[in-house]
Amino acid sequence: MVGRVRIALVSMTTAHHGDDWYAGRMRATAERLVARGHDVTVCCAQWWDGDHPTFDFEGVTYRRVTTERAPRAFVTKLPFVLNSVRPEIVHVATQPHLAVPAAKAAGRLRRTPVVAEWWARPDDATPPWRRRRAARSPDRVLVPSRTVATTVRECGTADDAVEVIPDSVDVAGIRSASVDPRADVVYARSLDEHANVEEFLLALAELRRLEWRAAVIGDGPARADAERTARDLRIDDRVEFLGALDPAEQVPILKGAHVFAQTATWAPFATCLLRALACGCVGVVEYQADSAAHELVEGDPRGSLVTSPRELADEIVDAAEMERWTVNEAYASYDHDAVLDRYVDCYEAAVADYGLF
């Protein structure tokens, strides 16, 4: 885009409300767009203190649509807020789903293009008709993976309106980071109900007679159960639970490791796996129907796909025959700047279709 462009990002829930993968992705996109010189307003439920309708944070303006996370009120008020923001493009999350047709109605009046970012979880109880409206209303639907793209097409989005834009990692930072050799095998993810870290621990238990050290990065409600499982399997003396670490803290550990195991049952995009692969880890992914992790290793000669802890253990053993790397340049295209270019290209194409510039 040429010059400073006004972009409205719409999401009732933001990363400031809680730990949500999609919300974190949108926050990162907003802050990187601002760093590029664009004017970004996030239209959301209020998360800041006080009675003022807007709040600036990290260069991004957050604009209140509702004071609470109330989907019906949010959808009703959204067109009026967008009219006051007067964006040149609207990027709306499908959470709640009816926010998409509401944004489209506002965009139609102002001849403003609307792209939607598809947010969906396995336990999403949204009625099918709302999903279909969200899928068919925008000019483009952005998804993080081919797995999510299949879901969107099943909801009625035309093939040529779906665009895959993956998550990103700091490849430049990975190249310059130090190496921490504390673990040979690593698992990293929020330890929630989808973590499935027990499968990783079961695989390690199969290898208890071999020499290895493992690390589990992440925190959440499933951590206590995972630590108990490690004790029950009698491998707790070789598995270090490191808690939640930010990406910069994870990178040296990943560069020092040899294998990264992905066993989560839900992942619209496996960002932690991507970071590990860029750090040179051998990626071993346990296939799950609601996870897109397999997409990252399908074309990687160092990666593999398994279906059980026994197979995972076998692949960890086989990985010992591979050279240890600390960077894998095959993943340079997932750098933050490169992926942000794809967002900007999408915005430019949507605006050009409207003939505004």
Side-chain angles (χ1 to χ4, degrees):
M1 286 184 174
V2 179
R4 188 179 182 88
V5 177
R6 293 189 305 278
I7 304 164
L9 297 184
V10 178
S11 173
M12 183 177 68
T13 301
T14 72
H16 301 280
H17 288 104
D19 184 17
D20 182 281
W21 183 87
Y22 280 108
R25 170 178 163 96
M26 182 165 276
R27 174 183 171 180
T29 300
E31 293 177 2
R32 289 170 193 144
L33 286 167
V34 166
R36 285 275 184 98
H38 300 297
D39 185 346
V40 179
T41 299
V42 176
C43 302
C44 60
Q46 183 172 338
W47 53 267
W48 56 94
D49 295 329
D51 195 31
H52 39 287
T54 63
F55 186 79
D56 289 341
F57 185 82
E58 298 292 345
V60 178
T61 298
Y62 289 83
R63 174 71 164 80
R64 180 178 66 207
V65 179
T66 55
T67 56
E68 304 291 337
R69 284 181 282 178
R72 183 175 298 180
F74 187 88
V75 169
T76 301
K77 295 180 179 181
L78 178 60
F80 301 99
V81 172
L82 287 174
N83 190 55
S84 67
V85 173
R86 302 173 68 85
E88 292 165 298
I89 188 162
V90 177
H91 180 168
V92 55
T94 57
Q95 176 52 258
H97 284 76
L98 289 183
V100 183
K104 181 63 177 179
R108 188 178 294 113
L109 290 173
R110 297 186 53 81
R111 290 193 57 76
T112 302
V114 174
V115 299
E117 186 105 19
W118 192 264
W119 290 23
R121 293 179 173 275
D123 55 356
D124 188 354
T126 302
W129 69 270
R130 292 187 181 180
R131 287 171 172 254
R132 288 193 294 269
R133 286 196 66 185
R136 296 170 181 174
S137 297
D139 302 290
R140 283 173 173 76
V141 178
L142 309 184
V143 295
S145 60
R146 299 193 307 274
T147 299
V148 180
T150 298
T151 300
V152 169
R153 292 188 178 100
E154 289 173 349
C155 290
T157 304
D159 287 352
D160 60 358
V162 180
E163 184 164 350
V164 177
I165 299 182
D167 209 11
S168 61
V169 293
D170 182 8
V171 176
I174 288 171
R175 293 189 185 108
S176 62
S178 60
V179 176
D180 181 344
R182 73 173 68 191
D184 304 298
V185 190
V186 176
Y187 173 104
R189 191 190 183 280
S190 175
L191 301 184
D192 57 19
E193 69 272 25
H194 305 295
N196 198 28
V197 69
E198 290 79 9
E199 295 283 283
F200 172 60
L201 298 173
L202 287 169
L204 294 179
E206 296 273 359
L207 306 175
R208 59 166 51 90
R209 295 181 181 177
L210 302 179
E211 292 295 325
W212 51 262
R213 295 161 301 157
V216 175
I217 299 172
D219 206 351
R223 178 174 175 175
D225 287 342
E227 291 178 334
R228 186 178 306 110
T229 298
R231 290 194 297 270
D232 292 344
L233 293 170
R234 300 190 302 279
I235 57 172
D236 54 305
D237 58 328
R238 291 197 278 172
V239 181
E240 187 177 9
F241 286 82
L242 300 176
L245 302 177
D246 66 34
E249 293 173 313
Q250 292 181 30
V251 165
I253 299 169
L254 295 171
K255 291 183 71 170
H258 192 43
V259 178
F260 184 92
Q262 173 80 21
T263 59
T265 59
W266 176 78
F269 186 89
T271 308
C272 291
L273 171 63
L274 169 62
R275 186 175 297 111
L277 295 173
C279 287
C281 287
V282 175
V284 184
V285 174
E286 184 179 60
Y287 177 78
Q288 304 288 345
D290 292 319
S291 172
H294 61 278
E295 296 179 20
L296 286 170
V297 298
E298 283 174 339
D300 186 344
R302 288 167 59 85
S304 59
L305 188 62
V306 302
T307 58
S308 69
R310 176 69 260 178
E311 291 181 5
L312 175 56
D314 290 342
E315 290 298 330
I316 292 173
V317 172
D318 290 346
E321 303 300 319
M322 298 185 190
E323 182 182 357
R324 282 183 176 262
W325 292 1
T326 56
V327 178
N328 188 341
E329 292 294 343
Y331 293 92
S333 61
Y334 291 93
D335 185 63
H336 290 323
D337 284 341
V339 173
L340 190 66
D341 285 342
R342 296 174 66 169
Y343 272 111
V344 173
D345 290 345
C346 174
Y347 296 159
E348 286 182 333
V351 169
D353 287 347
Y354 266 68
L356 295 179
F357 300 130

